[in-house]
Amino acid sequence: MATISLNIEFGGGLELLFSNQRSHRITIPANVPVSSATGQTPEDSDVPSKPVDITYLMYWLRDNLLKERAELFVENGTVRPGVLVLVNDTDWELEGEGEYQLKDGDEIVFISTLHGG
Amino acid sequence: MSCGNPTTEPDALMQRRKKYDKTKNCVRCKDAQGNIVIRHTVYCKNCFTPLLIHKFRRVLEPTVNPKPDGPRRTALKPAGNLVIGFSGGLGSSVLLDLVHRCYVALDKSTMPTEGGRDHPRHERVWKKVTVCYVEVCDAFPGMDDRTDEIAHFVSRYDELDFVPLRIQHAFDRTWWERMGRSTSFSDIGVGLADESLLIEPLSQTYPDPLTALRTYLSSLPTPTAIHSSIQALTRVLLLHTALQTGSSHLVLGTSLTSLAVSLISGVAQGAGFNVREESMEEWTPDPETRPTPDTVPDDGTEGARKSKEAKRTVRIVRPLRDIGMKECATWAWWSHIPVVGKEKWVWPGAKPGIGTLTKDFILGLEQDYPSTVSTIVRTCGKLAPKGEVAGKCILCGRPAQRGVQEWKARISIRSQPPPPPSDSDSTDAPATPAPVVPESKADTRPSLTPYLCYPCHTTLTSRSARPVPSPWPDTAHSSVAPLPVWTEARLGTHADVGVSVADEEEIAVAKKMGQEEMKGIVNEFLLDDEEAS
């Protein structure tokens, strides 16, 4: 199964939800099921697949790295209001938000503007 | 693109609306690819920095000189020093960074290029800059004390003085004395159990500040009241610190997003009359509690000398009010500012108050419809509240609207006397409707009510139908809650109209309206006996 490596950074207090660690280097599948829910394997020939995107990454982080309070990170299929996402130092709104197709070596930053308050 | 079923026709799915106008290129330089979208407008990283600094200066600099500039822009010469109100949150961290860059470190990259090397803008505007932090952890169970972290954060910036306070200083006479104020007033409190808000002597020796704070908070009727009270106490503590440091300006890190939240939640709590003060306000201390001249710090500078002589006024400015929370977060990230953050104000069993609910709403709005948040602030900026100012509120220090209590009395139905006994021979006659009159006891006992603005009165008296868990349930409940020192001081010096001190233990308040007067007002609504029968 092809995989890609990503640099993930958390800021603005979000790191507290991820073992108080700001930087993470992760490896995720390069292709994922069309449905964003993790758990299905793209190796099943009957499962339609697509290049991995930020929405999948978001759920992957929630299911694999997040230690507590998932509702502070993900809400209604996207990041919680008040969370800013940068893709290679660029606002994800310029890159298609959750539909941005991740590439090997991308840096994704999740910053909470709420800073706990 | 058809309007068919997206499941069977892929083309039927409407394209997602773009979050930016036109192209992905920066609208400013038109050259580089954009890095950030601010309310549908695209900016690159290089253009974002001068844009933010321009917005910051544009709000702050016109307020620096005591009188606004005329047609010619003059040099920036404030009447006193500067205090930065610092909470540890995103906005105040960005504010501190910008103030230091522009007015302390004199980072040349932040200055406009015209004017030349000797232009006055290259001089320090404020000779002394103080960062004041109010720790609120003692107001909420289980909250961490962040004073040391905050001190460490501030120490990253040189030439800044740091003044840490605690929220219980609002009930601390020692602190009040350090501010140069008189402490010769008696221990008086207020009965918060009912809306009469009667002023009474404290039943026991004045409690220590921490106990006083927790007793006060435990006596408040709603979570909203607790949040609003802590915000008001913090603001007044900062104002007195500004006064004590010879400062003419107090800057707060309220962003555009936070301002929208405070405007909407303020109006929801009855603070519409002070909607302009949420953006900018001028505060003067109560005349009877002004410090004596020798307690005003004199560091020998021209600014300090002028501030001693001139009428002491502190101007509260919110220089980030045109800068959204997203822009602040982007600036903090790109500038590597290690924001300390602040905790939520919660306690076991408490439901979210108006402020929390409003913040959740505004944040959701900003994500989906970012321009609406700036629309809220712009619209509120156009409002000109009706009504005259009748002094300053004794609790929050903001202008109080004249005639509030009379208006409340007119619109409120407080009590309904029992209907007169019905005649047993006239069972077919309609029941005599009971006259409905506002509660109007001839009560001459002193009350805090006449000294309060409408939102503070509502904060103290508006009760929830459900029992409200207190943040400090183990605190001994007292029928008379202590008051902040500035409130006690003003009551104690009895400088307001209608207040006289009978003796050291008692305050008498002249009754403004008697029962007959009240009946006269509602007379037109009363049914005559002949009409009723």
Side-chain angles (χ1 to χ4, degrees), chain B residues 434-447:
Chain B
V436 177
V437 296
E439 192 174 274
S440 54
K441 293 182 283 194
D443 196 339
T444 57
R445 291 176 292 172
S447 165

Side-chain angles (χ1 to χ4, degrees), chain B residues 29-106:
Chain B
C29 65
K30 301 203 183 350
D31 193 23
Q33 181 136 5
N35 290 100
I36 191 82
V37 181
I38 306 295
R39 293 186 286 285
H40 302 285
T41 307
V42 180
Y43 298 97
C44 67
K45 199 169 176 178
N46 288 338
C47 291
F48 174 74
T49 299
L51 171 76
L52 203 87
I53 290 169
H54 169 73
K55 285 187 185 181
F56 163 73
R57 284 182 179 271
R58 183 179 66 188
V59 173
L60 178 58
E61 291 187 355
T63 70
V64 170
N65 292 341
K67 290 191 171 57
D69 286 344
R72 284 186 62 191
R73 281 177 56 183
T74 56
L76 299 175
K77 294 220 180 290
N81 299 318
L82 176 69
V83 166
I84 303 172
F86 190 77
S87 67
L90 174 62
S92 55
S93 302
V94 169
L95 174 70
L96 177 54
D97 190 70
L98 287 169
V99 167
H100 190 264
R101 282 190 196 215
C102 296
Y103 302 110
V104 181
L106 299 178

Side-chain angles (χ1 to χ4, degrees), chain A residues 75-93:
Chain A
E75 188 179 292
N76 293 333
T78 184
V79 290
R80 184 193 178 203
V83 176
L84 169 65
V85 184
L86 298 177
V87 178
N88 300 324
D89 224 22
T90 299
D91 192 345
W92 78 332
E93 291 180 5

